[in-house]
Structure formats: C-alpha cells, structure tokens
Amino acid sequence: MNEHKKIHLKDYRPFEFIVDHVDLVFDIRDDHTRVTSKLKMKKDPARANETTPLVLNKGTFDIISVVAGDMVLLPGEYKSDDEIFSLVATPDIFELEITNILKPDENTALEGLYRSGSILCTQCEAQGFRNITPYPDRPDVMAPFSCTIVADKTRYPVLLSNGNLVKSGDLDNNRHFAVWEDPFKKPCYLFALVAGDLDVLEDRFTTASGRDVALKIYSEKENIDRCSHAMTSLKQAMAWDEKRFGREYDLDLYQIVAINDFNAGAMENKGLNIFNAKYVLADPQTATDDDFMGIQGVIAHEYFHNWTGNRITLKNWFQLSLKEGLTVFRDQEFSSDMNSRPVQRISDVKKLMAAQFPEDSGPMVHPVRPDAYIKMDNFYTMTVYEKGAEVIRMIYQLLGQALFRTGMDLYFEKFDGMAVTLEDFVGVMAKVSGRNLDQFFRWYTQSGTPAVSMTRQYDENTKSMSLTFTQATSPDRNQSEKKPFHIPVRIALINRAGETVKQDALYELTQETDTFKFENVPADIYPSVFREFTAPVRLTTDFSDQDLAFLMARDTDPFNQWHAAQTLFVNEIKNLVTAIQAGNPMAVSAGLVNAFSLALEENQKDRAFLSRALALPQETEIKDHFEIIDVEAIHQARTFLKQTLAQKLTSEFKTVYELCRSANSDDISGGAMADRSLKNLCLSYLGSLANNDVQDIVQKQFEHAGNMTDEFAAFKILSHMNADVRDKACPAFYDKWQARTLVIDKWFSVQAQSSLEDTLDQVKKLTTHKDFTMANPNKVRALIFAFAMNNPMHFHRVDGQGYEFTAERILMLDKINPQTAARLCSCFNLWKRYDENRQAMMKKQLETMAEQKELSRNLYEIVSRALE
Ligand code: TYR
C-alpha cells in the first residue's frame, strides 16, 4: 500500500494569485472533448515584483498547448504531471491559455467531465475541476466564468452551463454552440456543464422584489412527466427562503438536470444544479412517500445553497460544515414548515443516532471541522452534515429565533461574495447576541458524542426537585482529553395528569456536572428534558420503564414521547439479548405490551407520529446500544419482540390497518401519507407472523396497490416470508417495473436486505443480472451497500462469506469509482465491536485491501484509518 500525504488545516496559506476571469471553451467531439481555458490572472499585490511560482492543480490528462501572454510555451518551459501544472515565474499581470484533451467516455469515477447515458455532464465538488483543466482548485479562489460549448446538434441539442445564456447559434457540419456567462464570482467547484438530448419542464417564479425567474427542469425525454413534484418543491423552497430568511434568488434563470449516474444526491452548481435522478423523478406509481419527501428536501437543500455556500463560500475544505451543516439546518426547517414539525424532528434525529453516533465511535471519528484529510471526498460525512446541522440548531436555541435571524442577516451582509470560516459565522452570532460562544465553539473542534446522564433528587422539606446533569466524552484519536461542551437543555415539568406544571425553558450545561433546582413542586412530577432533542448527546436518565411508559403516553413534547418509546424498546431488547446469551427463555414484559396497545388506541390523533413512535428500532440502530455487538442475539431478540407484539395485538393491528385504508392511492397530502405509514406499520407487524392469514392480506396489498408506497411495503414483507413467496413476488415486481430503472433499484435493495437463508447467494446472482452494473452508483447502493450496511445477519455471517464478498466488490469498485468504493468500505469500520472470530475475519479483509498495490487515495484513507 502506498503512503499518501495528509492535508492539515494548520498548513492553510492563501493563494498567491488572483484570478480575474475564466473563459472556458468545450469543443465536444465523438471520442474526446477539447478544453481551452483562458485565465486572466495577477499576483496578489502583496507579492508584486517577487518571483512566485504559479502552481495549478491538474488531473491525469494531456496538455496540447500553453500560451502565456502571446508566447507559445514549449513543454520544457512549464512543468506538468498527473497532479500539477506549474510555471517557475510569471509577470505581475498575465494571461494564460491552456488547451487539453479529455476522454469523458472513459471517466468512470464520475468526477470532472463524464458521460451518463447520452448526456455529458460535470461534477466538480470537492476537487473535480482539476480533472477538466489546470486551475487553482480551492474554494477561496473566486472568479467570474464564461463558458462556450460547441457540439453536434443532433446528439447534443441542449447545451447548458452556469449563469445566463448570452449567445447561441449554428455552425457548419451540423454543429452548434452556446455561450454562458455567470456574473457572480464563484469557486471552481461550483462550475457545471451539461450537454445532451434532454426535455425540459418550464415554470416561472416572481421574487418578493418582483424579479421574474425562469425555472427549468431537464430530464431524459421519457421522464419529463415525472418532474412536477420537483418543480413544486423548488417554488416552495424559493418562497420559504424569502419569508424565513429574507433571501431572494439572484439570477434570471434556475436550472436543474436529472442524471442517472451520480456519486451523491445532488449538487448546487450556480444556476445549474445537477441531480441524481432519484431526487427529481417521482409519481405516485413509481415513487414512495419517502421518495416524495426526499425530493422536496434535497431540491430545497440545493436551492438554499445559493446563499449558504455559493454567495458565501468556504475559505478551505475544512470549513465544509459552514455550508453543509447550515444548509441541512435550513432544509430541515423548511421540511418542518411544509409538513409535520415533530415527525420531521423525529426522522432527523433518528438518522443522526443511526449513522452519526456510530461514526463517532469508529475510526472515522472527527470533529465537525476536521483537522486533516487525505481525500476530502471522505469527509462528506454524517458528522459534517447532520451533527453540523445540530450545532447550528443549538445556536438557534441559545439565541432564539429573532436574534438568530438578525445574526443570519448580518452574516449575509458582511460576508457576501467572500470565502469564510466557521469562526466568521459563530462570530456574527456572538456579536448580535452579546454572548460569549468560545466554549460553544468546541462543538466544531472537539470530536465525539457527549454522554449526558440526568438524575433526580427530591427534597421533601423544601418541596424542591433538583436535576443533576453530568457530561463525559470519551477520548479518541483526535483528543486524549475532552473538555466540557456548552450544551443547551430545554426542560419542562409535567404532573401525573399530564399537565404542564412548569413551562418549557432553556438551561445550559457548561461543566462536568450542573444542577438545576425547581422550588415548590410536588414529588410526583416528571421532568421532560432535552425537549425536541436540544443537543446531539447520548442521554441516560434514572427513569424506570414505568416512567418511560408514562412519558411515552403523556410527555407534552412529541419528540420526547417518541424517544421514551424507543428507549423502552431498546431496554426490552437488551433484556431479551441477556436472556438469549444466558440460555434463558425469552419473555416480553406485560408493561410494554400494555403501553404499546394504549398508544395504538390513539390512532385517530396523529397517524404520522404514531407510525414513528410504534416502529421498532432497526437492528443497525440497536447495535449502537451494545459494547460488543451480538449479531444473532440482536436479530433474534428484535424478531421475538415484533412477533410477540403482533401475536398479542393481532386484532388491534388489523383494526387499525382497515381504518387507515381509505387514503386515495395517488393523494400525496400529509394526511394520506400519514394513513399509509400507519397502515403499513401495522402490516409489517402482522407480516412478521408469516401465517397464511396474514400472508393473504400482504399478498392482496401487493397485487392491488394503487401506489408504490403500498406496493413496496408489501413487497418488502413478502421478501422475508419464505423462499416460495419471495420467488413469486420478485419476478412479478420485476416484470411490472423493468422499464423504470429507479424502481429496479428498489427491487435490488429489497432482495439484498432479505432475512432468508440464501440471501448472499441471491445477491451474488444479482450481480450478474443484466440490469446491474458496478459503474452506476445507484445500482451499487441498491445491491451492495444495502447488503453490507443494512443486512447485518448476512453481512456478518459466521463463515465470513459476507465479508469476503463485500471486500471483493470494494476492490473491484475502487478501480471504477474510488469515491463510492471508499464509502462502501465503511461497512468494516466498527470491526473492533464484534466478537473475536468476526473481528479477526473483518480485520483480515481490511488487511487484504491494504496489501493491494494500487489502492485509490480515497480507499487508502478509509482502510488505513480502520487499521490504525
Ligand atoms: N454539495 C452537495 C450537497 O450536499 C454534495 C456533494 C458533494 C455532491 C460531493 C457531489 C459530490 O461529489 O448538496
């Protein structure tokens, strides 16, 4: 394994030159694209008259000509290799014209210029622009860009780039051209180009100040009638950002293109977002309710980047959370305003706990602002995004809505057009509030999830209740000793009747131990703490299971009701795991069944909430509550709990299932979605019994469903029932949907996650299916990621075959798409948390990977961290 260099935040230096203008020409030919870049540059005035070498980043392409000023440079007069282009010295002001040849058809890494089907497109974040042309590929170099695209008119009738179309026309030989100019200075990671035979859905939006904006969503022709939900979402996001943050759109045109081959969810390129088709295309027949919500959230996220990311960008990549944490916070708030706030909060926190907390306990643990990286792509993490959003949310809590808005206004005013840091952001928040946020800033620099415990003490004499909070964060590779965090805690007091005795207020933890005293309260009072999950901490309390059952039913904060229910489930599963490990019989406590049944009776109230509150945590979430993860025992315990509940409450589940069936099948209103989610939760409990009676109900829903939500829910249940049932359902689903590649992704993922015995064999077989390819990230995520990340029983097979299969695929993928290979490899990250046998087998796979001679930098970083 080659060693690769780490880049450190402490080594940051500003660039020695200023780019005044970038003029790009893309001449697209059948088997190559010729790129000419004209840079107008000058030395940073502070360095005038100094001899400063010009060093540009560069990918692995051939340069065919270099012109400096009006001199043609010969290869000896500049230096060029696979990473760098450089000149020993330059005048103070100069122009540089470089021409090079790209082979987009051979670019399987999907960074830089690449082909997706018949479409040519770009992806430049984080450091893909260097694969297009030599350039100072860093976010703090901002410049106005113009871009000319020349291509065949039949193959590429649509030619797009950032900003405004200023000129277009026909050329000889059935070719045509388009010239785009982006008036806003931007870093090169926001550059984009698209060329292809696309259809467009058009609409308009008038901003608050009366500017008329043309909205265009492009997709392959056969999908254009599936773009209207994305368009509605875009208009909602534009209106919301005006209302909530006073931010208007700034160009006359906003374009979105849906692409089938994409490494991430979507990309906020200025005026020309490029999206994974999964986050654009939807209709009720082919997309689930979750897909609809996902599209609304991602469309909004990319739109919100126009201010938080594009107008104000990053000084260096270490500051990534400055744009991502803040923009996730903004999209979460948007989704809360558009839909149900408590349900949104529950799903955001669930995601954080399921994926960010484990990240903090493995080899990828890093502060929200990392100190070092080998490959920046590896730091597009749950910590930077989701924990980063929680940190913003804490500032929002500490300041309150009004001051937070004042702070945001000042941030936009002060830093518009600049590349800034997290200190700049927190600085304006400190300024407008007059608060000292120095201790608070540790959330950006210190890694790990704080464990907070809460205990109650009641003093009969003074009739006062004291709540004592202690915080502790485990040492890790980033810091051997952790200092206390500044943690906001929202607390209310509730009595036995479920009435609020003391209104919700904000308290702040700043020391290892903090105590708050509430005077004049009765003894039988319940504190409701960390309401709405005020901070990203692991909370333990002195609540008994009876207390938790009370809070599940009566807490006045729905988030805390959900949290109490989840804690009860986890406690129950822990007891079952202990019983299994001791060889004792399993039994579910009557208290839990009772609490569950009472909650199910409340089904007329908020069905969306109820479907979340009554859902058992996944095995992948449960594992986080164990030091040593016993894969089989967790699976057995969860299955037993689910089946016991289904058995004891069969008729209740059936009743609620029937009650929720009236939703119109293509209605995507909140109410209809809520009905479907509760209905399908009931079906999933019933389905766990796998008897003929329920099989019949599930089968009927599968065959007669009027939308993908219901069809997919039933399909998932059938995939676990038994091999016969699955072997009938799979071809039926495939035959119906084979023309829809996004639905076929669902088909792959359901099979990869099946609990049936032969799942690994099925997955192996599916890798040779004609619709599967390692070159398409969505397909890899649907089959290989789903297996490795979401099917613990089979990935962690005792014979090690799950590991072997996955490691082989990672190495295969590393040759095609290193970014995605590195992501997939994180399935081995928690290897130290399993039994000795599994530890040894997982370690062996990591070592085998480490021994490869030509590991990508991306994968090298993940593997070497895991083995450190
Ligand atoms: N900036 C994008 C977003 O979060 C994410 C992204 C990152 C997309 C890297 C692609 C990529 O290669 O909105």
Side-chain angles (χ1 to χ4, degrees):
M1 178 157 85
N2 304 327
E3 291 280 317
H4 291 289
K5 213 173 82 228
K6 264 195 186 162
I7 318 278
H8 294 268
L9 170 58
K10 62 174 167 35
D11 296 336
Y12 171 84
R13 300 283 176 280
F15 189 52
E16 299 85 355
F17 295 82
I18 292 165
V19 182
D20 283 321
H21 192 263
V22 184
D23 186 2
L24 299 170
V25 180
F26 290 78
D27 183 0
I28 298 172
R29 301 286 167 167
D30 280 352
D31 62 346
H32 71 272
T33 295
R34 182 190 170 103
V35 183
T36 303
S37 132
K38 265 188 225 153
L39 305 179
K40 283 202 173 83
M41 301 187 75
K42 60 175 177 259
K43 242 179 246 169
D44 184 329
R47 294 177 175 265
N49 305 318
E50 281 176 27
T51 308
T52 309
L54 173 72
V55 183
L56 304 179
N57 303 104
K58 175 187 169 292
T60 52
F61 49 74
D62 293 330
I63 287 182
I64 55 173
S65 82
V66 180
V67 183
D70 39 23
M71 288 215 319
V72 176
L73 301 190
L74 301 172
E77 295 173 296
Y78 59 86
K79 195 176 153 248
S80 170
D81 58 27
D82 284 352
E83 294 193 11
I84 268 167
F85 170 93
S86 62
L87 297 177
V88 186
T90 69
D92 285 352
I93 302 180
F94 60 100
E95 281 188 32
L96 185 62
E97 182 186 299
I98 305 175
T99 303
N100 57 274
I101 300 284
L102 302 179
K103 302 269 179 142
D105 288 25
E106 292 164 19
N107 178 358
T108 57
L110 316 184
E111 289 173 57
L113 181 71
Y114 67 94
R115 172 176 301 286
S116 174
S118 63
I119 305 166
L120 279 189
C121 66
T122 56
Q123 171 54 39
C124 296
E125 189 177 6
Q127 298 174 330
F129 190 76
R130 62 186 61 181
N131 298 324
I132 294 178
T133 182
Y135 195 76
D137 190 358
R138 40 189 294 165
D140 58 346
V141 173
M142 298 173 81
F145 281 62
S146 68
C147 176
T148 303
I149 313 167
V150 187
D152 182 80
K153 218 173 155 172
T154 313
R155 276 189 87 181
Y156 304 104
V158 175
L159 304 175
L160 310 174
S161 189
N162 318 84
N164 303 312
L165 180 66
V166 293
K167 218 165 127 191
S168 63
D170 287 344
L171 301 166
D172 290 346
N173 299 323
N174 193 43
R175 291 170 66 77
H176 70 151
F177 74 97
V179 182
W180 292 83
E181 256 174 38
D182 185 354
F184 290 95
K185 288 209 280 180
K186 65 167 174 288
C188 63
Y189 81 86
L190 292 172
F191 170 78
L193 170 153
V194 174
D197 188 3
L198 299 159
D199 227 340
V200 61
L201 174 69
E202 300 194 52
D203 209 329
R204 312 202 75 83
F205 182 86
T206 308
T207 69
S209 69
R211 174 203 280 277
D212 182 36
V213 184
L215 311 177
K216 299 189 182 184
I217 301 185
Y218 295 87
S219 78
E220 293 165 315
K221 301 210 143 95
E222 63 271 25
N223 288 323
I224 200 69
D225 54 349
R226 289 182 182 75
C227 295
S228 64
H229 176 67
M231 185 64 89
T232 306
S233 305
L234 175 61
K235 290 192 285 181
Q236 288 172 332
M238 294 177 86
W240 184 89
D241 212 17
E242 291 183 349
K243 193 161 153 244
R244 181 78 185 266
F245 285 103
R247 296 294 113 196
E248 269 190 38
Y249 186 59
D250 52 10
L251 283 162
D252 301 332
L253 175 62
Y254 193 88
Q255 313 188 91
I256 292 174
V257 183
I259 296 286
N260 291 325
D261 303 274
F262 201 75
N263 278 340
M267 181 61 214
E268 71 265 22
N269 318 299
K270 183 81 188 188
L272 177 58
N273 290 181
I274 297 181
F275 268 62
N276 185 331
K278 175 179 161 59
Y279 290 108
V280 177
L281 307 180
D283 62 24
Q285 272 56 60
T286 58
T288 62
D289 293 342
D290 287 344
D291 294 331
F292 276 94
M293 302 291 275
I295 290 169
Q296 188 186 42
V298 177
I299 292 269
H301 179 96
E302 306 312 329
Y303 175 74
F304 298 152
H305 268 317
N306 191 52
W307 277 98
T308 47
N310 302 5
R311 289 289 286 256
I312 304 181
T313 194
L314 313 176
K315 187 161 187 163
N316 50 57
W317 287 114
F318 300 98
Q319 318 296 328
L320 180 61
S321 197
L322 176 65
K323 75 179 178 79
E324 297 304 345
L326 179 54
T327 304
V328 170
F329 169 75
R330 276 152 54 69
D331 83 55
Q332 290 177 347
E333 281 300 290
F334 164 75
S335 293
S336 301
D337 284 347
M338 294 296 122
N339 309 294
S340 152
R341 181 164 285 271
V343 170
Q344 182 66 35
R345 190 67 190 133
I346 288 165
S347 67
D348 293 337
V349 175
K350 194 174 159 77
K351 187 163 154 194
L352 183 85
M353 290 175 165
Q356 198 278 323
F357 283 14
E359 190 164 276
D360 268 349
S361 67
M364 269 303 284
V365 59
H366 59 277
V368 174
R369 179 167 71 191
D371 300 314
Y373 60 79
I374 291 176
K375 197 68 182 138
M376 188 55 209
D377 310 306
N378 286 330
F379 288 83
Y380 285 73
T381 58
M382 295 303 284
T383 301
V384 167
Y385 275 67
E386 309 303 320
K387 185 174 179 183
E390 293 301 322
V391 176
I392 302 287
R393 187 173 294 281
M394 288 190 281
I395 299 179
Y396 173 73
Q397 293 279 354
L398 289 169
L399 268 63
Q401 176 153 346
L403 269 182
F404 183 80
R405 170 65 198 268
T406 311
M408 287 298 293
D409 288 350
L410 182 59
Y411 176 66
F412 293 126
E413 191 187 308
K414 214 170 151 183
F415 299 115
D416 189 12
M418 296 169 67
V420 302
T421 63
L422 286 156
E423 280 86 352
D424 292 324
F425 181 83
V426 177
V428 295
M429 294 297 167
K431 181 149 197 267
V432 297
S433 63
R435 294 198 54 149
N436 182 332
L437 296 177
D438 292 351
Q439 183 183 1
F440 184 85
F441 203 76
R442 280 179 199 155
W443 283 108
Y444 285 115
T445 55
Q446 199 172 254
S447 55
T449 314
V452 174
S453 77
M454 193 254 339
T455 51
R456 297 164 287 173
Q457 301 84 31
Y458 190 75
D459 184 341
E460 282 294 346
N461 296 328
T462 60
K463 300 248 169 290
S464 65
M465 153 107 65
S466 295
L467 298 182
T468 301
F469 292 88
T470 21
Q471 57 164 304
T473 308
S474 309
D476 59 35
R477 61 176 73 205
N478 302 296
Q479 297 92 18
S480 54
E481 230 174 277
K482 305 280 182 180
K483 298 189 178 124
F485 286 98
H486 181 176
I487 303 176
V489 195
R490 198 164 273 292
I491 305 176
L493 299 180
I494 300 162
N495 69 15
R496 289 260 154 199
E499 294 155 352
T500 306
V501 176
K502 192 187 163 305
Q503 284 298 337
D504 183 291
L506 197 70
Y507 297 80
E508 297 174 29
L509 313 181
T510 53
Q511 296 160 36
E512 270 159 33
T513 301
D514 295 89
T515 301
F516 306 109
K517 199 165 174 185
F518 301 90
E519 313 272 359
N520 263 321
V521 293
D524 58 351
I525 208 123
Y526 285 97
S528 164
V529 300
F530 284 99
R531 288 162 75 82
E532 290 175 32
F533 199 65
T534 11
V537 302
R538 281 177 202 271
L539 176 66
T540 51
T541 63
D542 58 3
F543 291 136
S544 67
D545 282 358
Q546 284 84 339
D547 294 336
L548 289 169
F550 171 83
L551 292 168
M552 169 181 171
R554 300 315 264 289
D555 199 310
T556 48
D557 172 33
F559 173 82
N560 270 359
Q561 287 187 291
W562 172 82
H563 196 247
Q566 293 294 300
T567 311
L568 264 183
F569 292 144
V570 169
N571 290 349
E572 193 73 28
I573 289 168
K574 279 188 170 169
N575 292 339
L576 291 168
V577 166
T578 310
I580 294 166
Q581 288 170 338
N584 294 332
M586 290 189 275
V588 172
S589 71
L592 181 77
V593 179
N594 188 41
F596 195 102
S597 139
L598 285 175
L600 202 51
E601 275 173 30
E602 304 268 311
N603 61 64
Q604 295 302 341
K605 273 204 220 140
D606 184 345
R607 290 177 174 171
F609 166 76
L610 198 57
S611 70
R612 268 56 166 198
L614 297 184
L616 295 182
Q618 298 299 324
E619 286 164 36
T620 48
E621 300 170 69
I622 297 165
K623 74 173 193 313
D624 199 44
H625 297 272
F626 291 87
E627 290 272 323
I628 293 292
I629 303 164
D630 184 337
V631 185
E632 285 92 358
I634 289 175
H635 176 75
Q636 227 183 314
R638 184 181 184 276
T639 308
F640 181 76
L641 175 57
K642 190 167 180 183
Q643 288 174 339
T644 307
L645 288 165
Q647 224 153 38
K648 301 220 170 195
L649 305 171
T650 305
S651 74
E652 286 88 340
F653 280 122
K654 282 188 178 166
T655 310
V656 179
Y657 177 75
E658 288 302 327
L659 273 176
C660 296
R661 279 183 68 184
S662 55
N664 199 334
S665 62
D666 55 6
D667 180 356
I668 56 158
S669 66
M673 285 193 188
D675 283 4
R676 282 193 287 271
S677 65
L678 187 56
K679 174 181 75 179
N680 289 322
L681 179 84
C682 294
L683 194 66
S684 142
Y685 274 100
L686 291 169
S688 73
L689 296 174
N691 59 37
N692 291 344
D693 171 33
V694 299
Q695 189 182 319
D696 210 44
I697 305 176
V698 184
Q699 198 75 48
K700 276 213 182 86
Q701 177 167 322
F702 180 61
E703 282 159 20
H704 304 292
N707 56 63
M708 185 49 71
T709 305
D710 288 343
E711 186 170 344
F712 187 57
F715 181 38
K716 267 197 285 199
I717 298 168
L718 295 176
S719 78
H720 297 289
M721 266 185 182
N722 62 55
D724 287 345
V725 171
R726 177 201 61 197
D727 292 346
K728 273 198 210 103
C730 288
F733 192 87
Y734 180 81
D735 289 345
K736 186 167 169 193
W737 295 115
Q738 50 183 313
R740 297 269 165 242
T741 185
L742 292 172
V743 185
I744 293 308
D745 292 346
K746 297 186 192 302
W747 180 76
F748 280 116
S749 83
V750 160
Q751 298 179 76
Q753 293 175 70
S754 168
S755 53
L756 298 179
E757 239 1 78
D758 62 345
T759 293
L760 179 57
D761 292 335
Q762 297 292 334
V763 171
K764 286 183 178 167
K765 225 161 80 194
L766 286 168
T767 59
T768 63
H769 191 278
K770 72 176 175 51
D771 291 340
F772 182 79
T773 160
M774 292 296 280
N776 174 260
N778 282 359
K779 290 283 175 288
V780 176
R781 284 185 281 256
L783 188 64
I784 319 288
F785 278 66
F787 174 79
M789 312 277 192
N790 296 331
N791 198 340
M793 275 295 279
H794 290 286
F795 174 65
H796 295 286
R797 281 166 62 127
V798 269
D799 62 5
Q801 285 196 37
Y803 302 145
E804 208 171 295
F805 164 75
T806 307
E808 272 168 23
R809 288 282 145 180
I810 293 170
L811 287 176
M812 193 187 280
L813 190 58
D814 196 42
K815 301 264 175 265
I816 303 171
N817 184 330
Q819 252 188 57
T820 309
R823 265 181 198 267
L824 176 56
C825 190
S826 66
C827 64
F828 287 107
N829 273 354
L830 295 185
W831 64 277
K832 290 180 183 156
R833 297 268 299 281
Y834 292 85
D835 57 75
E836 273 174 30
N837 175 38
R838 286 185 168 98
Q839 275 194 30
M841 293 189 297
M842 292 171 90
K843 185 169 181 218
K844 193 176 137 234
Q845 296 302 335
L846 285 164
E847 284 167 349
T848 308
M849 287 193 253
E851 281 158 18
Q852 305 297 312
K853 268 198 274 25
E854 298 208 347
L855 227 48
S856 69
R857 248 188 256 191
N858 303 62
L859 186 55
Y860 166 85
E861 182 166 35
I862 302 297
V863 171
S864 59
R865 281 180 82 114
L867 287 172
E868 232 171 69

